[in-house]
Structure formats: C-alpha cells, structure tokens
C-alpha cells in the first residue's frame, strides 16, 4: 500500500475498509458523512468467500466517485483452505486483480502463515471479536514488512453489543501491537470496517 499524504499538506484521514450496501441513496449519504468527518481517501470493501466462482460480469469492482473523496476499490477474500490461495497466483487471470486493494481474511495460524507468503496481497485482516487461536509472532511481523503486507485492525468491532467480543478485540489488539513494537508498527493499518458513519468515527 502506498497511500501517502503529501508533505506539508493538511492532515487527512484514510479508511481502507468501508462497507457499503445495495442502496445507492444510503451509500451516497455514507460517503457524504465520511467526507464531512475529514476523510480524504476511502476504500470500498467487498468481502466474499474465496470459494466464489469469479466472473467479470458479476464481480468487477464498482467504480464510485465523490467530489471530496478519493475512492479505492477493495476485495477481501475469506480464506478457509490452503488451495484457495491460488487466486493470488501470478498466472491467474482473474477479476480479483482489477481491485485497487486485495486482502485476505484468515482464521488459523496455518492460513496466516500462507497469507504472509502470498504474492500480490496488500492486507491481512483478522476477526478480533473472538480470541485468536494463535499468537502473532515478531518474526511473522518481519516477514509482512519485508513483503509489503499490512495487518489490519477494524476498530468498529469495539462497538459490538457483546462485552466478550469487545474484551476479545482489546486482548487481540494488545497482543498484535506488542508483537509489532518499535519500528515494526508501520505494518499496522487501522480501519473502521464501517457500515454507517457512526462506526467510521
């Protein structure tokens, strides 16, 4: 990811995980609200199972525009099996490469380790609303940095009505920030995962 605010320009916010609905009017209000909150760049995220049979007709990125926002397209694939990483292979001619940002959502240490070795992947995202089954280690952070892969925390999970989900997020986030201490913190990306403007605050 190379989304940089020019030196000397006013502070601008970026959110690389905004979830829109199928309602165009509601989406327009969402984008207006994000612009009003001071966001300059947002990535509209589409999350699908990696088992999806992709076709250009159904899964091409939706190009949106807004007078005050730079809008990127993002595809997040929910990975549950090692064989699904072939979607990111160099020989794959797939609509997934039409998106500005490619992300993988993983749930086990094996899938996390495979994601770290995957070409063309920009982000790895994890569900922090439940305790991770593994601890992310400092050498894994180093691999992510070397390969230009970022690890995402979605802070809207803190708004869960479940106290146990909120506690899990805090526990997981603390463990991840500890593993990425020092200069390694640049591997982290904080996104909202917002479905409405309140979650994007």
């Amino acid at each position: 990811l190379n989304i940089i605010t020019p030196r000397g320009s006013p502070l601008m916010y970026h959110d690389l995980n905004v979830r829109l609905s199928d309602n165009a009017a509601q989406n327009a209000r969402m984008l207006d609200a994000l612009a009003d909150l001071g966001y300059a760049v947002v990535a509209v995220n589409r999350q699908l199972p990696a088992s999806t049979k992709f076709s250009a007709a159904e899964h091409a990125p939706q190009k949106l525009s807004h007078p005050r926002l730079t809008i990127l397209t993002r595809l997040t694939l929910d990975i549950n099996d090692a064989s699904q990483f072939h979607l990111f292979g160099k020989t794959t001619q797939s609509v997934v490469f039409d998106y500005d940002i490619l992300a993988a959502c993983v749930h086990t240490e094996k899938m996390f380790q495979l994601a770290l070795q995957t070409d063309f992947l920009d982000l790895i995202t994890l569900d922090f609303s439940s305790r991770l089954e593994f601890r992310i280690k400092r050498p894994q952070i180093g691999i992510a940095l070397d390969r230009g892969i970022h690890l995402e925390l979605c802070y809207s999970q803190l708004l869960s009505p479940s106290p146990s989900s909120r506690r899990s997020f805090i526990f997981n986030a603390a463990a991840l920030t500890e593993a990425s201490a020092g200069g390694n913190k640049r591997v982290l990306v904080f996104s909202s995962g917002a479905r409405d403007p309140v979650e994007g605050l």
Side-chain angles (χ1 to χ4, degrees):
L1 294 175
N2 187 22
I3 304 168
I4 301 173
T5 300
R7 185 181 298 274
S9 64
L11 178 64
M12 294 185 293
Y13 297 109
H14 300 57
D15 189 345
L16 300 185
N17 191 349
V18 173
R19 308 287 293 275
L20 298 185
S21 70
D22 294 327
N23 185 309
Q26 180 178 324
N27 292 342
R29 289 193 295 271
M30 172 75 160
L31 295 174
D32 284 341
L34 291 171
D36 290 341
L37 289 168
Y39 286 92
V41 178
V42 299
V44 174
N45 184 24
R46 185 176 192 181
Q47 186 157 344
L48 295 170
S51 57
T52 301
K53 295 186 182 301
F54 287 94
S55 69
E58 293 184 45
H59 302 106
Q62 182 182 9
K63 300 294 186 180
L64 300 175
S65 63
H66 190 277
R68 292 179 289 154
L69 293 171
T70 297
I71 302 177
L72 306 176
T73 59
R74 167 178 165 174
L75 177 66
T76 301
L77 297 178
D78 203 340
I79 303 282
N80 294 297
D81 185 85
S83 64
Q84 295 169 339
F85 282 101
H86 78 278
L87 286 168
F88 299 105
K90 292 182 179 179
T91 60
T92 302
Q93 298 298 318
S94 173
V95 69
V96 300
F97 293 110
D98 292 335
Y99 287 80
D100 297 311
I101 298 172
L102 285 180
C105 180
V106 299
H107 307 277
T108 67
E109 185 169 18
K110 180 181 179 181
M111 295 303 104
F112 179 70
Q113 192 65 38
L114 287 171
L116 289 174
Q117 303 297 332
T118 300
D119 293 323
F120 304 113
L121 197 60
D122 300 302
L123 287 171
I124 299 173
T125 188
L126 303 123
D127 181 6
F128 278 6
S129 63
S130 59
R131 291 286 182 101
L132 290 181
E133 299 176 359
F134 62 97
R135 290 184 68 87
I136 296 174
K137 305 173 184 67
R138 192 177 294 263
Q140 293 172 319
I141 298 292
I143 292 172
L145 281 170
D146 290 342
R147 297 184 65 85
I149 298 173
H150 292 72
L151 307 182
E152 180 182 54
L153 293 88
C154 290
Y155 53 80
S156 62
Q157 294 171 1
L158 275 172
L159 299 178
S160 168
S162 166
S164 63
S165 293
R166 296 195 298 271
R167 285 194 298 269
S168 293
F169 179 89
I170 293 170
F171 176 85
N172 291 325
L176 178 56
T177 53
E178 180 181 352
S180 59
N184 292 337
K185 277 192 167 53
R186 65 185 185 276
V187 78
L188 301 180
V189 168
F190 293 86
S191 304
S192 70
R195 296 176 184 274
D196 62 61
V198 173
E199 293 182 339
L201 288 172

